[in-house]
Amino acid sequence: MKNWLPVLLLLISGAAVASERPDTNPWRLGVASSAAMSARESAFGVLAECERRFPELQVAGNQLRTSWLERNKDATDKLALLAEKLKARIASKYPEVDVNALLRQTDQAAQKATAELVAKITTGTLEGAPATQQLNTCKWVFTGMQQGKMDILNLQTTAKRVLQEDEISDFLQSYKGLTYEDGGDKFRASGTWIGIAFPLNETVITADAAERKMHITSKTLVAINDKIPPFMSESDETLAIESWDADAIRTEVQRAGKSQRYFQYVINRRTKEINKVFTGESPKTHVLGDVSQKINEVKAGFD
């Protein structure tokens, strides 16, 4: 078995290993496998200690556990799917590696580290403090948990980064460029809005004449500066169609937020040009185009 375990265990302390790891997939697999469990055990472990000291907090604690599980289901599911994808990738690249055994070792180490962390937190903040101070601390922890401060991606920032890297990789791999399909009473197109702040984006537009609706979904690779890792931003909107004829498909004009700008999607069926037209303050037109070259350049340098 490849000796990846010491590298994987660095995730527990949040250490940066980007330059040291020879293969990022095993490291990401360790993160994806243990992040949800570690975050849950950390949060629930602190709750349990507070409930042990103050039984009157048990009702609130049970409610917090339920809401935490519901609120974190999406992140848990994403991490589980990513772990399965990375397991398959490693098994294909390194068939001699017992991936399941590697994960068992990683999860066991993560559980041990999580238990030690919970003990350190509770001992350091509760042990020896006056009862009133202990209770106030526990209430502060409960409030923070209710506000999401102990959610998976807040406690496990490494997992958040790994999920973002996976979303970016999927976006780069699945980008289809400019497409245009006009079936008469149904329409579908994809491409990139040219000239917006973040040029690596993909929008999919579907429309149905019978439903009189246009559905627009967008994924944008947001890269603000060197200090903030890039991440994917998604948007989803459904607009009523104002007109659908042989020349064009137009949505009803919508106000852009609280500003005095208005926008409308216009599909020219003669020229096959797709525009998002802004009127009012700062009038401007975005045209749906293709950034395959830029996507390929980023993909070439993306691990």
Side-chain angles (χ1 to χ4, degrees):
M1 178 186 296
K2 282 183 174 291
N3 189 21
W4 280 322
L5 188 59
V7 177
L8 295 179
L9 296 185
L10 288 174
L11 70 94
I12 296 167
S13 62
V17 293
S19 60
E20 292 87 352
R21 62 184 188 267
D23 190 315
T24 59
N25 285 333
W27 178 76
R28 289 173 179 159
L29 176 58
V31 173
S33 173
S34 66
M37 176 275 294
S38 297
R40 183 181 66 251
E41 295 302 322
S42 296
F44 288 11
V46 175
L47 283 183
E49 181 61 24
C50 284
E51 290 168 330
R52 185 183 70 79
R53 294 169 185 262
F54 304 101
E56 65 269 27
L57 296 177
Q58 286 181 358
V59 172
N62 288 332
Q63 292 173 344
L64 283 176
R65 287 183 184 85
T66 300
S67 63
W68 190 97
L69 291 171
E70 292 174 349
R71 195 169 56 247
N72 285 273
K73 185 179 185 306
D74 184 56
T76 301
D77 291 347
K78 284 183 177 180
L79 286 166
L81 286 172
L82 177 57
E84 288 302 313
K85 181 165 61 175
L86 292 172
K87 279 175 65 176
R89 193 175 296 170
I90 293 170
S92 174
K93 189 173 182 180
Y94 304 106
E96 76 280 8
V97 173
D98 186 342
V99 181
N100 290 324
L102 179 68
L103 282 177
R104 283 194 297 272
Q105 293 180 61
T106 307
D107 290 343
Q108 288 170 3
Q111 286 181 323
K112 182 174 183 292
T114 298
E116 291 174 351
L117 177 63
V118 171
K120 183 177 180 181
I121 291 173
T122 54
T123 300
T125 57
L126 299 177
E127 203 68 40
T132 301
Q133 184 178 328
Q134 291 184 38
L135 180 59
N136 288 336
T137 298
C138 285
K139 288 181 177 179
W140 176 80
V141 169
F142 277 38
T143 299
M145 189 167 175
Q146 187 176 34
Q147 294 172 346
K149 293 179 181 178
M150 297 180 76
D151 284 0
I152 293 172
L153 300 186
N154 288 328
L155 286 181
Q156 292 284 343
T157 55
T158 313
K160 182 176 182 179
R161 193 185 90 201
V162 166
L163 282 179
Q164 288 173 344
E165 289 174 347
D166 187 59
E167 290 175 352
I168 293 170
S169 178
D170 284 347
F171 167 75
L172 295 174
Q173 296 298 330
S174 64
Y175 180 78
K176 295 179 179 61
L178 185 62
T179 67
Y180 186 99
E181 303 170 21
D182 192 341
D185 59 351
K186 293 184 185 295
F187 178 85
R188 188 184 191 284
S190 67
T192 297
W193 296 117
I194 304 299
I196 67 173
F198 302 108
L200 298 185
N201 64 89
E202 182 172 42
T203 293
V204 176
I205 299 172
T206 57
D208 189 302
E211 294 180 356
R212 307 293 292 181
K213 298 288 184 182
M214 183 178 290
H215 193 59
I216 305 101
T217 59
S218 295
K219 290 183 178 181
T220 302
L221 178 54
V222 180
I224 300 174
N225 54 48
D226 294 338
K227 296 181 179 179
I228 301 176
F231 63 93
M232 297 302 303
S233 174
E234 299 185 19
S235 64
D236 193 327
E237 60 183 338
T238 300
L239 301 175
I241 290 175
E242 177 186 87
S243 63
W244 185 306
D245 54 43
D247 293 323
I249 303 171
R250 294 181 175 85
T251 62
E252 292 181 356
V253 176
Q254 300 287 319
R255 187 170 181 171
K258 297 181 180 179
S259 70
Q260 292 304 309
R261 299 182 79 201
Y262 298 84
F263 69 92
Q264 179 185 39
Y265 290 94
V266 180
I267 300 168
N268 189 321
R269 306 178 81 183
R270 303 292 188 186
T271 63
K272 297 185 178 181
E273 186 176 85
I274 304 168
N275 295 321
K276 185 176 183 180
V277 182
F278 285 92
T279 56
E281 291 180 354
S282 307
K284 190 172 185 178
T285 298
H286 292 303
V287 180
L288 204 69
D290 187 1
V291 291
S292 294
Q293 182 178 350
K294 289 183 180 179
I295 291 286
N296 289 334
E297 289 173 358
V298 175
K299 192 189 298 184
F302 190 85
D303 179 46

